[in-house]
Amino acid sequence: MPFRSQIYVNKYSSLDWDIMAIAFELAFQQIGTNPLVRKDRLARCVMTFFDRGVHCPSTLSSLAMSREMSLVDIERTRGTPAGNYDIKAEDDGFHFNGATGEWKDSTIN
């Protein structure tokens, strides 16, 4: 994972980090050659899906890859980084704040 912030201390066990790291590496190996892929955004997406209860590395990888490639497609279509837009995925409760580059689970207050 490209980051481990102090805000995550005691939130995840070392096994949790290992699972997320494996998922991140699987996803990044497959889509990392695309210059629009953002490692930090991909890692946060892995963490978000993990927090939602997905703990299988291959499933986490697939979900994160799908989300990241959707955002890359939006950036390519608009010709502007997704950082300038708020992108909502209302079907699954996630909200991507383009200004901060963070995913938020809208089902949690």
Side-chain angles (χ1 to χ4, degrees), residues 4-107:
R4 285 195 183 191
S5 174
Q6 286 299 104
I7 64 173
Y8 302 115
V9 171
N10 298 325
K11 181 174 182 178
Y12 301 111
S13 70
S14 61
L15 178 59
D16 294 344
W17 281 114
D18 290 343
I19 291 168
M20 290 187 286
I22 290 167
F24 173 81
E25 290 302 323
L26 286 171
F28 193 72
Q29 285 175 7
Q30 292 185 25
I31 63 173
T33 57
N34 188 316
L36 295 176
V37 169
R38 292 186 12 211
K39 288 175 98 172
D40 60 330
R41 187 171 64 191
L42 180 63
R44 289 180 194 282
C45 193
V46 168
M47 293 172 73
T48 299
F49 284 115
F50 186 88
D51 290 343
R52 301 251 334 182
V54 180
H55 294 166
C56 173
S58 61
T59 304
L60 273 171
S61 172
S62 294
L63 291 169
M65 251 188 330
S66 177
R67 178 71 69 185
E68 178 63 16
M69 292 313 295
S70 293
L71 292 171
V72 166
D73 286 342
I74 290 168
E75 289 176 350
R76 185 178 18 248
T77 301
R78 292 183 176 164
T80 306
N84 296 334
Y85 301 95
D86 280 348
I87 301 163
K88 293 185 180 183
E90 296 177 16
D91 58 325
D92 61 9
F94 291 110
H95 175 257
F96 178 73
N97 183 320
T100 63
E102 295 180 0
W103 286 97
K104 181 180 178 190
D105 184 348
S106 61
T107 62

